[in-house]
Amino acid sequence: PNPTDLFQIKNNANLGNFVSGSGRISISHSLLDYINMLRVEISDRTKLERPFDGLKIVVDSSNGTTCNSLSHILRDLGATVFPMNEAPKEVFAHSPVPSDPSSVAPVSRMVVEQKADLGVILGCDGDRVVFVDEQGRQVQGAHYLMLMAQIALQDMPGSYVVVNNKA
């Protein structure tokens, strides 16, 4: 919509110009449902209630959309989580690109300081991820792409994995 459309919507709302009709309102806790679904799926696949017991994981949510999900899932699955930038904000603590050095460096430091097993940096909208190993080194995208392909092939032997590797 263009700005004039938005002003018109606001004016209609202020004047109380609403269409009437019948319907129903339902409240859904979709994030909680999604977190629970992932937790159950991971537990079922690993055949362990808490497959991450004993793991220490640094999670940088980049003040974005994943602030209320990944850390909770990992904790539910047994990990000790060291959260970073976990509150949603309009201004991000670092570059919104998780592979940018300004995003990776603080996580690398915390992984080493906390003697963590893994660091995870999520893009602010949750569509990108970067991993840091236990020594604070960034794991290249092609490497974890290969790990995911290996897992997929274990689940479906004889299948093919086709990727557009820009990682």
Side-chain angles (χ1 to χ4, degrees):
N2 68 45
T4 1
D5 294 337
L6 296 175
F7 287 121
Q8 186 60 44
I9 292 169
K10 180 181 178 185
N11 287 337
N12 285 335
N14 288 338
L15 294 171
N17 294 338
F18 301 108
V19 175
S20 63
S22 61
R24 65 185 177 97
I25 296 174
S26 64
I27 298 173
S28 172
H29 300 286
S30 56
L31 180 60
L32 295 176
D33 293 342
Y34 179 67
I35 288 171
N36 190 51
M37 183 272 306
L38 287 175
R39 185 190 56 72
V40 168
E41 178 74 18
I42 292 168
S43 291
D44 287 350
R45 282 180 170 262
T46 61
K47 297 180 181 23
L48 296 168
E49 175 105 5
R50 295 173 56 87
F52 301 145
D53 255 345
L55 288 180
K56 294 193 229 175
I57 303 173
V58 174
V59 176
D60 184 344
S61 298
S62 298
N63 303 114
T65 60
T66 61
C67 286
N68 295 309
S69 54
L70 182 60
S71 292
H72 296 290
I73 295 166
L74 293 173
R75 281 188 195 102
D76 285 351
L77 294 171
T80 299
V81 176
F82 300 94
M84 297 177 71
N85 304 311
E86 190 149 90
K89 292 183 180 176
E90 289 180 32
V91 178
F92 305 120
H94 52 68
S95 167
V97 179
S99 59
D100 187 279
S102 70
S103 304
V104 177
V107 173
S108 294
R109 279 192 299 277
M110 184 171 287
V111 164
V112 172
E113 288 168 8
Q114 298 298 332
K115 296 182 173 68
D117 300 289
L118 176 69
V120 181
I121 309 154
L122 297 151
C124 4
D125 53 4
D127 69 338
R128 292 165 291 175
V129 64
V130 169
F131 296 101
V132 173
D133 71 12
E134 73 282 357
Q135 294 178 14
R137 299 175 302 195
Q138 181 177 341
V139 178
Q140 296 303 311
H143 294 165
Y144 53 85
L145 178 64
M146 289 173 48
L147 289 171
M148 290 186 284
Q150 184 179 17
I151 292 167
L153 290 171
Q154 286 173 350
D155 284 353
M156 297 172 274
S159 297
Y160 295 94
V161 176
V162 179
V163 298
N164 179 2
N165 185 9
K166 293 183 180 179

